């Protein structure tokens, strides 16, 4: 024994020595380059939960993901054995992951894969393990078939209807309902236990039903299974009359024997309960007896943990959330009635699965370094700690001299390369286990620099500076700094080196400029980096802008002279009232000043000059005050404008009194503006020292005043002078003056009494202000007593502002009052205020709840009120709960959202109207009574159906123009048909601006949702009105207009005031715009719309105000142009642009508006620009900003034939044919050939130069053998006049002939239909002889010569 103790002592000493020289674990930076080169064991990053329940209808996915370098590989064990994934075709593993996917498309049962799974992630440096994942398939077994005999019970006796739901995974949720799927009403007498059984503390005749059915809802499969219903028969000793039943006397005046309380659950006088730590504790006590007992809970030896306790199931269930060890103990439930009471003790034990106290973390060490892994866990019972290495018990692994296991700690000494591994700590007890992976990585890495190379740092002179040098290495390198490559390391004095490598220069000077080198050394090598430091002069403003006042119309100038380092470029910017200053054409800025000529009221404000360089900045501000006119001497004022006054001086206190003192001062210089007011401020050193508060103001002609003060305050005062320019600086403080104490003279405000619980009343009030205390040790006297009982006052003295009265009756009135007191006496008492103790849940439900006069959207409801005493609080309202159960329209899904409506009524048989119901639907509802905090039990549930109504608008209505002469209409059924659809009706009419045509009507069957309309004219526009039909009539109308043509532009302009969108050929603006912005508030009656006006005007120059309204008829043609805007009853003013002056200069149109927005502005000019504003007719000062918009140019349906495609194509074809014919003729001519019968071109040219004596063609057609036609003239067989008849003849060719030496061939049509007929002409010989040579003047010859 002695030797064993000595060995333990030596181990502890060695552990202590090791801990003294243990190296700090290396923190690996998240630098991408480091992480890429870093070799690390695997780490599990994602896995499925330990208890994994899956849905049998889905594929099974078991997650396991890990990281490491190199990338880990994965394997699985199932039920402790290797799981060969490749042999099972249903199981696949995701790429670069260990996640398993088990599919059942090809068959198989999910139950075959139940079991315990564990994932192993492996690489060259170790093995990481996942938790053991218990895979189970959710089950929803059927209820066993059974025949339930009717349950017969005597009235007044207790009863338990057992549920015994089938065991499921996870267990089902049970509830009781009738065969009509109405929940069994539960209250203090009837309730469901934690085991699902239905308990009756005592049975009444109304409980006799034939359909008590227990239902089990299985969460995973989303199914509900119903047990065969119980039939309950109640035996009564006296006849039962339903009309005699009421909530206060459920036995209708019949005599039923009473019974003392007994427990239905749990049985006996005591029981025990074991609960896991961090889970919820549910304790249940259900008592029987007549009258129904009430249940209360206690904990022996202490109070119930109020912040975690909740009472449920009408106080029969005690719930404690997130149980801890201190919640263990004996809990007592007591059931009592006026016949007696009974108790049951429940002994609660809190057990705990293991939970972490010190979870092991990854450890990165350099060679020859020391470290440790610690694994500490707690639980009840205390868990057992087991270490594993790479998934194997550490006891069975090869011995490692550098590793020592000491219980929950592993020590590492002088680790070497190759000893990296993953260690697992498993902490377990009988209630569960914890498994954690922590790797030990032995890393050797030469030093390397992580920051940018040769960085340039610029700093301001005399500022503290940091030079960064991030580095890494394993073992951790030693870092030293050098300046300009000389001397020893920099550390101490002006310099300080941090452990992360940063060098601090406490105050940078010019001589600190230079190149700094950081060098990291270790046994594996060295690395260095350089940082160049430049010290710059500070950027500052040497001539500041000063506060000044300027007369309107004069010039103001603010100085801003800057001095900075010559090597740093600077920028100077100006702001006004912290917003960017727009210089524009008027303001001028140079390097040293800002000049504001022609000062106006808009220039007043605070101007800030900001100068910035790349490393620092400076700023200065001054205020400009604009004055209307010069004061006193104009010449002096122009030279010296008024300014703020100087602060008062020489403050003096005199005439001291208990609550007053005289303050006197000497005013300072008013700087050419008379002092109009003095502001006196005070500061006290007891409650808010250092805070100056306003005391009072006095006229500017006074300099000695009596100050009214509060008792028990140590004052000091200061004075501020005020003139037209502004306030002076505060004066120097006066000497302190302390007033004497007194009793409080203020009554505490806000006295009220209210109950935060059903058995208490909190009396609260507002505490006195600090300056109302009047003395030390402020306290409050509080009195209270029951109202109208005659009892004596109870009282208490407290320092707080609240007092709680316990053990009160529920909601009873109290008289209360309060009084403040201090060491000097008592203050005045408050008036008596009536308060009430806490409220409780109302006990009675409204009865005889029914419905009458149901139409499509409304129903009248009636019920009988509850006894006012059962409300147990201030009556607030009757709250109606109703929901839409279903639609009578077949196949229409509806939302069963619960809705409420409050109804206040104190009559004995209240009634109300439930509106906004959906037609043709089934509804359910019940009603409860409510006080300020609670709601009572529900009444009977009423079902009713609304009548058929008119349908909603179609879900959508689209208009597409698929060609120039047709429009395609498409729509969908309404979201709410509100009945059986009988069809649709479509009304449409032509629209041309503000003119509309005759309306036409089309009707369709309910299954038709489209329609094609043929247009009489491509420029016709239509307005369509579509509505659905039921037997009741037509529903809500969906209105649309036909879309734009393809050559129309869509104009949209949104500025935040109105939204204008061109949607018609006639430039009609018809959208619904957003609400008007920036309108000042005004007060109007909610049902009254003030007359409004719309005016359209033009001006040659923009003006801020509107000229008097006139009406002018424009002389130019206008189209119906409209604009739509949304606003409160306003005046809309639209002003045309100057460059399109159709209405004339300085004219405006005003239109009064008397309807709700949106407002349509009609009869505008197409293609014109307007300015529009909105203002109130009643309050002309309320106006919006001007808004500019332009109407769309009117569409003109006029077609230019020269731009049409068909015409251009035809002309091109004709030109191409003529060109081909000309080319053929030229080729023939160049070859010397002759035309058989003449060329078409030749004939055409002949026609152009034909003589008046030409002979007509023969009208008789002769058809040749080849099928062509021959047109013969009178002289077919004669030669042409003027043509050469022989080679030696004296007759020459006529100059008007275009026939090239024809051989007498007949005229005919060629293959393409061209006419190549022969024209013969008879001429006089004189004419022939007169033309000696006609070749040169022939049109064909002329053309040929040109070619």
């Amino acid at each position: 024994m002695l030797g064993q103790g000595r060995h333990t002592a030596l181990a502890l000493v060695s552990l202590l020595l090791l801990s003294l020289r243990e190296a700090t674990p290396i923190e690996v930076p998240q630098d991408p380059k480091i992480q890429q080169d870093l070799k690390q064991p695997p780490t599990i990053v994602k896995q499925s939960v330990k208890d994994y329940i899956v849905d049998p209808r889905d594929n099974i996915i078991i997650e396991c993901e890990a990281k490491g370098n190199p990338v880990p590989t994965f394997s699985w064990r199932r039920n402790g054995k290797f799981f060969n994934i490749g042999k099972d075709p249903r199981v696949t593993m995701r790429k670069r992951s260990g996640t398993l996917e088990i599919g059942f498309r090809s068959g198989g049962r999910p139950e075959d894969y139940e079991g315990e799974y564990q994932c192993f992630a492996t690489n060259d440096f170790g093995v990481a393990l996942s938790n053991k994942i218990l895979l189970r398939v959710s089950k929803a077994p059927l209820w066993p078939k059974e025949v339930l005999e009717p349950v017969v019970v005597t009235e007044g006796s207790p009863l338990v209807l057992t549920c015994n739901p089938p065991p499921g995974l996870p267990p089902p949720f049970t509830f009781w309902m009738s065969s009509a799927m109405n929940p069994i009403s539960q209250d203090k007498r009837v309730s469901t236990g934690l085991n699902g059984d239905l308990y009756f503390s005592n049975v009444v005749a109304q409980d006799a039903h034939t359909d008590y059915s227990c239902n089990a809802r299985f969460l995973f499969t989303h199914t509900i299974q119903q047990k065969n219903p119980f039939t309950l028969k109640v035996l009564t000793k006296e006849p039962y009359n339903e009309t005699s039943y009421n909530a206060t006397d459920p036995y209708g005046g019949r005599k039923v024997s009473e019974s003392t309380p007994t427990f239905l659950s749990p049985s006996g006088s005591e029981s025990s309960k074991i609960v896991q730590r961090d889970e919820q504790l549910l304790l249940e006590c259900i008592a029987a007896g007549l009258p129904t007992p009430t249940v209360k809970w206690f904990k022996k030896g202490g109070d119930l943990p109020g912040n975690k306790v909740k009472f449920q199931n009408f106080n029969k269930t005690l719930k404690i959330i997130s149980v801890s060890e201190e919640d263990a103990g004996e809990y007592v439930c007591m059931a009592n009635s006026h016949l007696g009471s009974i108790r049951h003790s429940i002994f609660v034990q809190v057990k705990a699965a293991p939970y972490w106290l010190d979870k092991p973390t990854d450890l990165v060490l350099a060679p020859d370094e020391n470290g440790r892994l610690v694994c500490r866990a707690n639980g009840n019972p205390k868990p057992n700690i087991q270490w594993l290495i790479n998934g194997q018990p550490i006891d069975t692994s090869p011995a490692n001299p550098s590793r020592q296991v000491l219980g929950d700690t592993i020590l590492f000494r002088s680790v070497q390369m190759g000893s990296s591994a993953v260690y697992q700590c498993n902490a377990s007890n009988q209630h569960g286990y914890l498994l954690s992976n922590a790797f030990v990585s032995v890393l050797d890495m030469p030093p390397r620099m992580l920051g940018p190379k040769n960085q340039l740092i610029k700093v301001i002179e005399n500022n503290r500076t940091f030079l960064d040098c991030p580095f890494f290495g394993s073992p951790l390198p030693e870092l030293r700094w050098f300046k300009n490559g000389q001397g020893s390391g920099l550390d101490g004095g002006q310099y300080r080196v941090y452990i992360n490598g940063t060098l601090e220069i406490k105050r940078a000077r010019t001589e600190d400029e230079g190149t700094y080198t950081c060098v990291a050394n270790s046994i594996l090598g060295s690395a260095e980096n350089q940082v160049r430091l430049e010290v710059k002069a500070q950027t500052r403003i040497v001539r500041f802008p000063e506060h000044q006042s300027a007369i309107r119309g004069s010039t103001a100038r603010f100085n801003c002279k800057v001095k900075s380092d010559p090597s740093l470029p600077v920028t100077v910017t100006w702001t006004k009232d912290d917003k960017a200053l727009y210089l524009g054409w008027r303001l001028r800025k140079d390097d040293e000043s800002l000049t504001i000529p022609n000062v106006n009221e808009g220039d007043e404000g605070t101007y800030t000059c900001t100068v910035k360089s790349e490393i620092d900045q400076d700023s200065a501000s001054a205020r400009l005050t604009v004055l209307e006119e010069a004061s006193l001497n104009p010449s002096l004022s122009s030279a010296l404008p008024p300014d703020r006054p100087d602060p008062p001086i020489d403050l003096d206190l005199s005439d001291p009194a208990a609550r007053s003192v005289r303050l006197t001062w000497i005013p300072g210089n008013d700087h050419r503006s008379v002092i109009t007011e003095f502001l006196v401020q005070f500061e006290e050193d007891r409650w808010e020292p250092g805070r100056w508060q306003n005391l009072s103001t006095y006229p500017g002609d006074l300099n000695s005043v009596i100050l009214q003060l509060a008792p028990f305050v140590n004052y000091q005062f200061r004075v501020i002078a005020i003139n037209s320019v502004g306030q002076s600086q505060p004066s120097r403080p006066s000497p302190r003056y302390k007033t004497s104490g007194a009793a409080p003279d203020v009554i505490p405000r806000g006295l009220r009494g209210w109950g935060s619980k059903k058995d208490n009343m909190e009396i609260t009030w507002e505490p006195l202000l600090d300056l109302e205390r009047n003395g030390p040790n402020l306290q409050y006297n509080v009195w209270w007593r029951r109202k109208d009982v005659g009892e004596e006052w109870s009282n208490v003295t407290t320092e707080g502002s609240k007092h709680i009265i316990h053990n009160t009756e529920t909601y009873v009135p109290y008289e209360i009052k309060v009084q403040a007191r201090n060491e000097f006496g008592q203050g005045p008492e408050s008036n008596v205020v009536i308060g009430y103790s806490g409220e409780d849940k109302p006990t009675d439900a409204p009865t005889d709840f029914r419905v009458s006069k149901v139409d499509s959207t409304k129903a009248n409801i009636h019920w009988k009120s509850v006894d006012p005493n059962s409300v147990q609080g201030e009556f607030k309202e009757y709250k109606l709960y109703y929901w839409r159960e279903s639609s009578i329209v077949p196949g229409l899904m509806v939302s069963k959202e619960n809705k409420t409506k409050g109804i206040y009524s104190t009559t004995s048989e209240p009634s109300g109207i439930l509106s906004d119901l959906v037609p043709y639907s089934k509804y359910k509802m019940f009603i409860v009574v409510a006080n300020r905090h609670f709601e009572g039990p529900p009444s009977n549930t009423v079902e009713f159906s609304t009548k058929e109504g008119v349908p909603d608008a179609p879900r959508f209505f689209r208009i597409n123009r698929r060609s120039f002469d047709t429009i395609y209409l498409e729509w969908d059924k309404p979201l709410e048909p509100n009945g059986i659809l009988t069809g649709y009706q479509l009304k449409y009419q032509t629209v041309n601006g503000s003119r509309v045509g005759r309306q036409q009507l089309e009707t369709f069957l309910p299954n038709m949702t489209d329609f094609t309309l043929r247009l009489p004219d491509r420029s016709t526009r239509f307005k369509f009105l579509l509505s659905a039909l039921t037997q009741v009539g037509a529903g809500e109308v969906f209105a649309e207009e036909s879309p734009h043509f393809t050559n129309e532009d869509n104009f949209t302009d949104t500025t935040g005031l109105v939204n204008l969108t061109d949607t018609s050929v006639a430039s009609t603006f018809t959208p619904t715009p957003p609400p008007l912005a920036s309108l000042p508030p005004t007060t109007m009656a909610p049902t009254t719309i003030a007359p409004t006006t719309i005016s359209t005007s033009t001006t040659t120059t923009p003006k801020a105000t509107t000229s008097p309204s006139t009406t002018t008829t424009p002389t130019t043609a206008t189209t119906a142009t409209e604009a739509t805007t949304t606003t409160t009853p306003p005046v809309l003013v639209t002003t045309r642009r100057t460059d399109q002056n159709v209405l004339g200069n300085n004219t405006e149109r005003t239109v009064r508006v008397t309807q709700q927005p949106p407002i349509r502005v009609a009869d505008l000019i197409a293609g014109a620009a307007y300015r529009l504003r909105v203002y109130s007719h009643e309050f002309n000062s309320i106006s919006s900003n001007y808004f500019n918009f332009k109407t769309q140019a009117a569409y003109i349906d006029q077609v230019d034939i020269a731009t049409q495609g068909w015409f251009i194509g035809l002309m091109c074809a004709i030109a191409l044919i003529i060109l081909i014919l000309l080319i053929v003729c030229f080729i023939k001519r160049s070859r010397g050939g002759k035309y058989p019968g003449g060329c078409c071109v030749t004939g055409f040219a002949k026609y152009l130069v034909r003589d008046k004596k030409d002979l007509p063609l023969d009208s008789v057609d002769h058809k040749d053998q080849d099928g062509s036609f021959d047109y013969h003239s009178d002289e077919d067989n004669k030669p042409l006049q003027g043509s050469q008849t022989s080679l030696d003849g004296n007759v020459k060719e006529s100059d008007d002939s275009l026939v090239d030496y024809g051989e007498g061939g007949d005229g005919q049509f060629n293959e393409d239909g061209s006419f190549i007929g022969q024209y013969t002409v008879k001429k006089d010989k004189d004419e022939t002889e007169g033309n000696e040579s006609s070749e040169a003047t022939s049109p064909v010859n002329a053309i040929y010569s040109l070619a």
Side-chain angles (χ1 to χ4, degrees), residues 1246-1256 1296 1321-1323 1327:
K1246 173 69 178 179
Y1247 173 78
L1248 295 177
V1249 297
R1250 190 173 180 178
D1251 193 270
K1252 295 180 181 180
K1253 297 180 181 181
D1254 292 348
L1255 298 176
D1296 61 351
V1321 183
K1322 184 178 181 181
K1323 287 185 177 285
E1327 291 178 352

Side-chain angles (χ1 to χ4, degrees), residues 13-209:
V13 171
S14 63
L15 178 61
L16 177 61
L17 293 176
L18 179 63
S19 64
L20 291 177
R21 57 188 183 90
E22 181 179 311
T24 303
I26 299 174
E27 293 185 7
V28 180
Q30 298 301 316
D31 186 89
K33 295 180 181 179
I34 298 292
Q35 293 292 327
Q36 183 178 358
D37 298 337
L38 184 65
K39 303 298 183 181
Q40 280 193 346
T43 302
I44 301 291
V45 296
K46 189 176 183 181
Q47 57 184 316
S48 296
V49 296
K50 294 179 182 178
D51 191 5
Y52 188 25
I53 301 176
V54 296
D55 193 327
R57 298 169 297 181
D58 299 333
N59 290 340
I60 298 175
I61 297 177
I62 311 176
E63 292 183 317
C64 177
E65 296 183 9
K67 65 177 182 178
N69 188 9
V71 177
T73 59
F74 297 88
S75 62
W76 284 84
R77 288 184 184 176
R78 179 185 175 193
N79 298 327
K81 298 180 180 180
F82 174 72
F83 185 33
N84 193 339
I85 298 171
K87 290 186 177 182
D88 194 333
R90 298 190 187 94
V91 183
T92 58
M93 184 184 296
R94 293 178 181 174
K95 292 183 178 180
R96 300 182 66 86
S97 169
T99 298
L100 297 182
E101 294 187 9
I102 307 175
F104 302 98
R105 289 189 176 182
S106 59
R109 298 172 61 251
E111 291 80 2
D112 296 339
Y113 292 88
E114 289 185 327
E116 188 179 71
Y117 292 79
Q118 189 170 27
C119 174
F120 292 73
T122 307
N123 69 5
D124 297 340
F125 300 97
V127 181
L129 278 64
S130 73
N131 290 323
K132 292 183 178 180
I133 302 167
L134 179 60
L135 176 67
R136 295 186 292 172
V137 178
S138 174
K139 296 177 178 60
L142 297 176
W143 218 296
K145 294 187 178 295
E146 56 182 337
V147 178
L148 301 178
E149 297 294 334
V151 179
V152 181
V153 64
T154 306
E155 186 176 20
S157 300
L159 174 66
V160 180
L161 297 180
T162 58
C163 181
N164 295 330
L169 184 67
F173 169 75
T174 57
F175 55 96
W176 288 80
M177 300 188 76
S178 65
S179 59
M181 297 307 291
N182 292 324
I184 301 299
S185 179
Q186 301 191 22
D187 52 21
K188 182 179 177 182
R189 183 180 63 85
V190 182
S191 61
T192 302
L194 296 177
N195 60 356
D197 294 347
L198 185 64
Y199 291 87
F200 294 79
S201 295
N202 51 78
V203 175
V204 298
Q206 291 83 359
D207 294 331
H209 293 294

Side-chain angles (χ1 to χ4, degrees), residues 102-326:
I102 307 175
F104 302 98
R105 289 189 176 182
S106 59
R109 298 172 61 251
E111 291 80 2
D112 296 339
Y113 292 88
E114 289 185 327
E116 188 179 71
Y117 292 79
Q118 189 170 27
C119 174
F120 292 73
T122 307
N123 69 5
D124 297 340
F125 300 97
V127 181
L129 278 64
S130 73
N131 290 323
K132 292 183 178 180
I133 302 167
L134 179 60
L135 176 67
R136 295 186 292 172
V137 178
S138 174
K139 296 177 178 60
L142 297 176
W143 218 296
K145 294 187 178 295
E146 56 182 337
V147 178
L148 301 178
E149 297 294 334
V151 179
V152 181
V153 64
T154 306
E155 186 176 20
S157 300
L159 174 66
V160 180
L161 297 180
T162 58
C163 181
N164 295 330
L169 184 67
F173 169 75
T174 57
F175 55 96
W176 288 80
M177 300 188 76
S178 65
S179 59
M181 297 307 291
N182 292 324
I184 301 299
S185 179
Q186 301 191 22
D187 52 21
K188 182 179 177 182
R189 183 180 63 85
V190 182
S191 61
T192 302
L194 296 177
N195 60 356
D197 294 347
L198 185 64
Y199 291 87
F200 294 79
S201 295
N202 51 78
V203 175
V204 298
Q206 291 83 359
D207 294 331
H209 293 294
T210 62
D211 54 358
Y212 286 96
S213 180
C214 182
N215 296 263
R217 184 175 67 194
F218 295 91
L219 302 180
F220 265 77
T221 58
H222 302 287
T223 57
I224 296 177
Q225 297 185 21
Q226 191 176 61
K227 185 177 183 178
N228 289 339
F230 284 97
T231 298
L232 177 60
K233 296 181 179 180
V234 181
L235 303 179
T236 59
K237 296 180 179 180
E238 298 182 19
Y240 166 67
N241 184 6
E242 290 187 0
T243 59
S244 64
Y245 172 80
N246 61 72
T248 57
D249 184 12
Y251 298 99
R254 293 173 289 107
K255 295 182 179 180
V256 178
S257 59
E258 296 181 340
S259 60
T260 58
T262 59
F263 280 117
L264 297 176
S265 175
S267 60
S269 60
E270 62 181 40
S271 59
S272 62
K273 180 84 170 182
I274 298 177
V275 64
Q276 292 285 333
R277 184 179 185 269
D278 293 329
E279 294 182 356
Q280 68 177 13
L281 172 64
L282 292 174
L283 303 180
E284 180 182 62
C285 278
I286 301 178
L290 183 64
T292 303
T294 59
V295 178
K296 293 184 179 181
W297 292 88
F298 309 94
K299 183 181 181 184
K300 280 194 174 182
D303 296 331
L304 293 172
N307 57 336
K308 299 194 298 182
V309 168
K310 292 183 179 179
F311 297 101
Q312 299 176 340
N313 199 16
F314 307 96
N315 225 41
K316 301 173 186 178
T317 302
L318 171 68
K319 178 180 179 180
I320 301 179
I321 58 176
S322 187
V323 173
S324 57
E325 285 80 356
E326 55 266 22

Side-chain angles (χ1 to χ4, degrees), residues 996-1115:
V996 296
R998 184 176 62 85
Q999 193 174 78
Q1000 302 182 56
L1001 175 66
E1002 294 280 349
T1003 58
F1004 309 94
L1005 294 176
N1007 59 348
M1008 291 186 61
T1009 57
D1010 57 16
F1011 175 63
T1012 301
L1013 175 66
R1014 184 169 296 278
L1015 300 177
D1017 182 9
R1018 65 183 297 268
S1019 62
T1020 303
R1021 303 292 298 273
F1022 282 90
K1023 181 176 182 180
F1024 299 91
L1025 304 173
L1026 177 68
S1027 58
L1029 301 173
T1030 61
Q1031 292 182 355
V1032 179
E1036 184 179 353
V1037 174
F1038 201 136
E1040 283 287 351
E1041 289 193 9
S1042 53
H1044 298 287
F1045 297 111
T1046 56
N1047 60 347
E1048 288 185 270
D1049 293 329
N1050 187 33
F1051 166 73
T1052 304
D1053 185 8
T1054 304
T1055 65
L1057 176 65
V1058 292
N1059 186 352
L1060 303 177
T1061 305
D1062 180 17
T1063 58
S1064 86
V1065 176
S1067 302
T1068 302
F1069 295 80
T1070 58
T1072 301
L1076 289 174
S1078 304
L1079 286 180
T1082 183
T1083 302
M1084 294 186 180
T1087 57
T1088 304
I1089 301 178
T1092 59
T1093 306
I1094 301 177
S1095 26
T1096 310
S1097 61
T1098 63
T1099 57
T1100 56
T1101 59
K1103 294 183 179 181
T1105 58
T1106 306
S1107 58
S1109 300
T1110 60
T1111 303
T1112 304
T1113 303
T1115 57

Side-chain angles (χ1 to χ4, degrees), residues 606-724:
T606 300
Y607 290 80
T608 302
C609 170
T610 303
V611 55
K612 289 184 179 181
S613 70
E614 61 179 294
I615 55 178
D616 69 336
Q617 69 177 37
D618 193 13
S619 63
S621 301
R623 180 168 182 82
L624 174 64
T625 302
V626 180
L627 305 178
E628 287 296 325
E629 59 183 8
S631 61
L632 302 178
N633 191 329
S635 62
L636 292 177
S637 299
S638 60
L640 297 173
D643 201 354
R644 302 167 184 260
D646 289 340
I649 58 175
D650 293 341
L651 272 66
D652 181 63
L653 298 176
S654 60
D655 302 338
R659 297 199 180 191
S660 66
V661 70
R662 177 177 292 276
L663 176 65
T664 306
W665 64 88
I666 298 176
N669 192 334
D670 62 3
H671 289 289
R672 300 164 299 283
S673 179
V674 178
I675 296 174
T676 59
E677 198 174 47
F678 288 102
L679 171 63
V680 178
Q681 296 180 326
F682 74 92
E683 182 264 350
E684 50 83 23
D685 61 358
R686 186 185 305 276
W687 313 114
E688 294 181 278
R691 177 174 176 262
W692 288 93
Q693 305 177 55
N694 294 339
L695 180 63
S696 184
T697 57
Y698 300 93
D701 56 351
L702 296 180
N703 70 328
S704 181
V705 295
I706 295 178
L707 306 178
Q708 300 299 322
L709 308 177
F712 199 66
V713 179
N714 191 17
Y715 286 97
Q716 67 174 347
F717 307 97
R718 69 182 186 184
V719 183
I720 298 174
I722 303 173
N723 65 6
S724 60

Side-chain angles (χ1 to χ4, degrees), residues 455-662:
Q455 191 175 8
L456 173 63
I457 303 294
K458 298 178 182 180
V459 299
I460 297 300
E461 188 176 11
N462 297 323
N463 281 2
R464 188 166 64 165
T465 304
F466 295 93
L467 305 182
D468 294 327
C469 182
F471 67 98
F472 180 70
S474 179
L476 191 65
E478 178 185 3
L479 186 83
R480 301 180 68 187
W481 281 90
F482 303 91
K483 180 182 177 184
N484 296 329
Q486 300 175 359
S488 59
L490 302 177
D491 198 1
Q494 171 81 345
Y495 304 102
R496 179 184 177 186
V497 179
Y498 290 87
I499 191 172
N500 63 351
T502 298
L503 174 66
E504 176 189 357
I505 304 176
K506 297 180 180 178
R507 185 176 180 184
R509 298 163 297 183
T510 305
E511 53 267 28
D512 292 323
E513 283 190 337
T515 300
Y516 290 78
T517 304
C518 59
V519 180
N521 289 295
S522 75
I523 60 174
L524 299 179
S526 65
E528 66 177 42
N529 196 4
Q530 291 184 343
V531 180
R532 188 158 57 92
L533 179 66
E534 293 182 359
V535 180
K536 305 294 184 181
Q538 182 182 4
T539 302
R540 65 185 190 276
I541 300 174
V542 296
R543 183 181 299 170
F544 295 90
E546 297 180 351
H547 300 296
Q548 56 181 290
S549 301
I551 302 171
R552 184 160 55 91
S554 64
T555 298
R557 185 174 185 269
F558 289 108
N559 292 320
C560 185
K561 186 175 181 180
V562 179
K563 183 178 181 181
S564 64
D565 193 287
S567 63
L568 291 179
V570 297
T571 57
V572 179
T573 57
W574 287 87
T575 59
K576 178 190 174 189
D577 297 330
D578 298 327
K579 296 180 181 179
L581 180 64
Y582 174 69
L583 297 177
W585 59 269
R586 186 166 62 90
L587 277 64
R588 297 190 300 273
K589 184 189 80 167
D590 55 31
D591 293 339
E592 297 186 355
S593 65
L594 172 69
T595 303
I596 308 175
N598 193 20
V599 171
N600 56 51
E601 291 81 356
D603 295 326
E604 187 169 277
T606 300
Y607 290 80
T608 302
C609 170
T610 303
V611 55
K612 289 184 179 181
S613 70
E614 61 179 294
I615 55 178
D616 69 336
Q617 69 177 37
D618 193 13
S619 63
S621 301
R623 180 168 182 82
L624 174 64
T625 302
V626 180
L627 305 178
E628 287 296 325
E629 59 183 8
S631 61
L632 302 178
N633 191 329
S635 62
L636 292 177
S637 299
S638 60
L640 297 173
D643 201 354
R644 302 167 184 260
D646 289 340
I649 58 175
D650 293 341
L651 272 66
D652 181 63
L653 298 176
S654 60
D655 302 338
R659 297 199 180 191
S660 66
V661 70
R662 177 177 292 276

